[in-house]
Every structure is written in structure tokens, then in C-alpha cells.
Amino acid sequence: MQSKNRVVHLSNNKDDSSVYVKKGSFSDLHINLKDMFNYYGKINPENKNIVIKINLCDFRAPETGAITDPRFLDVLLKCLRDYSNDNEIYVVESNATVAQPDLFIKWFGFIPVLSKWNATYVNLSKQKTFKKDINGLHFKEIDVPEVFRDSYFISLSKLKTHFEVKLSSALKNQFGCIPKRRKIVYHPHIHDVIVDVNLAMRPDFSIVDGIIALGDYGPTIGEPIPANVIVGGRDPVSVDCVCAKIIGYNPYLIEYIRKCANNGVGSMKYSLIGDSLNDINVDFKVGLRKRTFNYVLNNSTSLIKKFSGGS
Amino acid sequence: MRFGIIGCGKVATDFHLPALSKIKNVDIVSLSDLNSNTLRRLSKKYNVKDVYINYKEMLLNDDIDSVIISTPPQLHAEMVIEAAKRGKNIIVEKPFTLTKKEAIDCIDVIEKNGVNFTVVHNYRYYPVLQHCKTLVEKGIIGKITNISGIAHIPLPLGGTKRNWLFNDENGVIYDFGPHLFDALNWFMDSPPIEVTAYGGDFLEGMGCDNSVQVLISFQNGSTAFADLSWLDGISSFEMNLSGTGGHIHLDVFRNHFMKYHMTPSSLDFFSNSFTLLKSDFINLFTKEKSKRNIDSFIFLIEDFIQNIDKEKDKMKLKQELATVSCLDAAKSSLKLGKSIKV
């Protein structure tokens, strides 16, 4: 299907659909990240301010696999500072219906990491915004927090299942860039909204932390899965395709990935660098029966309305 | 009876006011809150003309027989004392107070002024707890030897601003601990004598206790174990009552219990699962769960209104003091790393 004629800011080889996959635990992380950055050439070649969007979606400790692990951020910041000590690095997250990142940043051990590498935490919900015309699937224009203006954007997401949209990693991470707190109102149109936020705030580089991933129900409660893998690349659509395959999904059956590809966010035709997906043989507990039962149990009200013809 | 509400936040808005409006012969005559927008909204909804920013001015109103105090707990002691001095009967939200000393000061004034008093331990009025209490009183499981209770609750972030919980002085013990400790004391029906607490801040950066386990010994020789946590993502309030003649397992949130007098068989577990599944579907397709919650407030207030038995009052005050004492002792035990006499 042809991409629609959309203006997507392409620079720095953003049409590079190679995806880096590397097995390893936290002890291998520094070497693996350096190896990944070396493959892609200079990260942030224009030496802009760097924005790193992390994931603090719920009050769940990092070892559950549900949120960004401060150990991962520590190593990533070290790698970035190896390149330059001069530029500003902002670590960002927004408020959500049940999440208060201002508290989680303190409680889950991020403050010492930020201080160590001279990075600044920014709450996107408290930022000024500017309007960006995207003429998207759900939004005509979208509010973009100021911190993203003229910056190098790294999406640091977790490798997680999602009870509603199947996968939460590179593309879904940008849903949390919407400054509005009550993002639950977008859930009925979530696939379209994920496309739109990636049109507005497409990451320059996506890194997915699957060292402790999250399986079973996801994206906040579920089973921690020690997948011991990192995934990275310039194209968030390609990265998500690989993440879907690692979990055991066909990426073509994930609506927002297809829509992002169809609307110019990236490509579903990727090439793999690093380890083979066959080497990552991990059970994410996504059996159909359990997923279906859990989905019905937790969405009964909306399902009843839908099937009874209610609004 | 004519009620005044002090503190019109989420708990008053979602529970106390709707409950009062459903009870016969009860009028909401006055509201007090620091937020004038809240007062305007609620006075319109409940047709209350008498509103105050300053609760002390409200207490001067002789039209009010009773007050419901639904403010942050660090204000409870001062407000209970003021209300008791003005001769108002008092319902106060949990936790009653944050320290044993405050509770004793309040009880002194309550007794001196002879007013009715209760703390909002509304779970006592859940059907499953009422039923099991009756079974225990009838001796269905003999003499209680030990009770274990688990209250694993999601962190209270959404809705009510619970920031008073997230500091070194309070933490998870003061979130659901008052409900669990009250239930333990209620079933045990014997004064607690010693408390030992373990646990603390498992995140090392939260600045308050988030998973605590408490062992309580009682005058009658029995023990209770309370397990409180915000951490594991589970929402559960369950109790196991062991006695010389049997065992009861209670699942409060699901309004379900199982009674055993011998080792449960696989058929018992199957039957239990079926009952739980039925309960889950009922909760999904009806508003049974939220109705049960509001009903518990209605029953609590009705019981308060009807309670004129001074003996029952004294026992109630003793139990409330026991609950606060256990909470206070648990905090001290965690800090000092040793058992605390209650």
C-alpha cells in the first residue's frame, strides 16, 4: 500500500531500516550499546540537545520489566557522554491517568543516575508546547512539548506485551509524549493516535530494553521475562517489527505498526544486524486462550456496549 | 439526626454524602471545606445552605447533632477534640489518629463529654465479615488460635491526594493497616499486648515503608499476622482464621469465604473456584461491588445513630485505641528493630 503524502522529517539516514539485535545481560550492556552506536555511526551528529523518552507508566519496580530500568539509563547516558559532555540531555516522561513520574523518578532510583551524568528530568505535562500540523489519522494538529524542538530524540522503551494493542515498545513509547494527563480518553482510537504521535515526534533513534522484558498480560502487570536482549535502530517501525517477532507476534497483525508503515513513519521491511532472532527463544506467555480470557474480563463493559450496539 | 461534614474531599463526595442521602431521618445540614468551589458544588447538589471554610464556626451551629470528619489524618485529633467539646457525636475517617497519644487525648475528651463516637472501619459492615463474625461468635471454629491477614493494595496515587502517606512517619501501615488491624482486633476480641514489625522501604528511594509484616500477640494467648504491601501489583484483602475447631478463609473484596473442618479436598478447591468465578462475573455485569461499598457506609452510619448502649460505646473506644496502638507500635518496632509492648 502506498504511503500517504505526508511530510515526515527525514535526516540522518532515518530511512535506514536496519535493526540491531544483541543478546546479553546488564553486565554486557555497555559493550553492546557501544557496539550498536558504532554500527550506526555518530549518534547525534549535529550535536543537538538530546531528549530521552523513558517509560514510567505505573508504580511497578524496574525488576518487574514494566518500567525503564535505571541501570539501563545509567549505561546509555555513559555512552552518550562518551561522545560529548557539552550538550544538554533531557530525560522525559509525562503524567498519566495513574502515573506520577515526578514521584517515580525519585522512588525508583533515577535521581542519582541523572546527577551522575548531568542529565535533567523533564515532566512533559508541565512543559510549554507548540502546535505541529500533522493532518493525522486522529489529530489535525498536535501539541508538542518544547523540549522536542530542534533536539535529537532517543526513544528508550521496554519490550512488553500489551493487553490491548499486543505490543508496547518503540512506537507505543511516544504515546507517553502527549502532555495531557488523562490519556485514557485516546484508548478507543489508540492505533491512530500512536501513528499521529510518531508523525509529530518521530524518534531519531529507538532503543528497546528487553533485558528484563514483560510478558503475559502487559504493559504494567504481567510476568517479568528475562529475555536478555536489546533492540535498536533508526526506524521505529522496523524496530517494532523485530520486537513483535521476538514476542511471537506477526507484526503485520498489529494494527498500529501497519498504519505507521502506511503513513510514512517507517518501513516494515527491515534487515537484521547482530544476533539472529532464532537465538532469542523466549516464551512471553502470550497463549491465545489466556490473552482472550484476560481481555474479555478486563474489557467487559466496553465489549457489552459494542456488541449490544450501544455507544 | 442532623449531620455536618468536615472535609468534603473524595471520600466524603464518593461515600459519606451519598450514604447519608440514602438514610431515612437523616439530614445533611452543614458542610465545611477549605475549597469554596467544592462547597458551592456540593451545597447545590445536596441542597445544603449552611457552609463554612472554618470548621470551628460550623461546630458552633446548634442545629448539628453529629459530624463526619473526613480530612487528612494529621487534623483528626484536633477536630475530634473540638467537636467533642461542642457536644457533637463524631464519625471520623480512618486512621483515627496517627499516634497513640493523640488517640488517648481524644478518648479522654470524648468520654468526658459523653458523645457517641466511631471510626470509619466500614469493612466490618461487609456481608462476608458480618457473617464470619457471627460464625466465630457461635464457636463454629472453636477458640481462635491465630489469624493472618493480607492487605496488598495498589499504591493510592490516582484520585485522592494521599501524599501524607508517602513519608517516613507513615507509609503503607497507615494506608490499609487501620482496616486490617481493626478486623484482626474485632475477630480476636482480646486486647493486643505486643507487636513486632518487619519490612520497610523495598525501593530504597521511596522514603517510606512500602511492604511491612506485623506479628501481634494478644492477652488470650492468640496471635495475628498482618501483611501489608503496595508492591506486588495485587489488590487483595484476605484473612485466614484458625481455631481449635476449624478454619475460615475470607476474601473481603470478593465477598467470599470458605469454612473448613478438615483438610480441604480437590472438590473443595473446585467448588471454591466456581464460587469465585460466579462472584467475578456478578461484579463485572452488575454494580454489586460499588453498591457493597456504599452499603457498608450506610450500615456504619445507621449503627452509629442507633447505638445508645454505653457499654458498647466503651468497648468500641477500647477497640479503636487498640487499633491505633497496634499501628503506633508497628511503626516503633520498625524504627527500633524490636518488639513493642502495647
Side-chain angles (χ1 to χ4, degrees), chain A residues 59-60 104 107 297 300 304, chain B residues 155 157 203 205-206 231 284-285:
Chain A
F59 180 73
R60 305 287 283 134
F104 300 165
W107 293 348
L297 206 63
S300 53
I304 288 166
Chain B
L155 187 77
L157 272 180
L203 300 180
M206 194 172 176
L231 295 180
L284 272 177
F285 293 106

Side-chain angles (χ1 to χ4, degrees), chain A residues 164-209:
Chain A
E164 201 173 357
V165 298
K166 294 202 174 92
L167 174 72
S168 175
S169 53
L171 289 166
K172 175 74 172 51
N173 197 27
Q174 278 63 262
F175 188 76
C177 294
I178 299 171
K180 184 184 172 78
R181 185 182 75 88
R182 276 188 56 82
K183 290 185 254 291
I184 198 168
V185 302
Y186 299 129
H187 273 249
H189 318 281
I190 193 167
H191 296 280
D192 290 352
V193 172
I194 291 172
V195 174
D196 288 357
V197 292
N198 279 281
L199 287 171
M201 291 170 271
R202 186 187 189 273
D204 296 292
F205 203 91
S206 299
I207 304 171
V208 181
D209 169 14

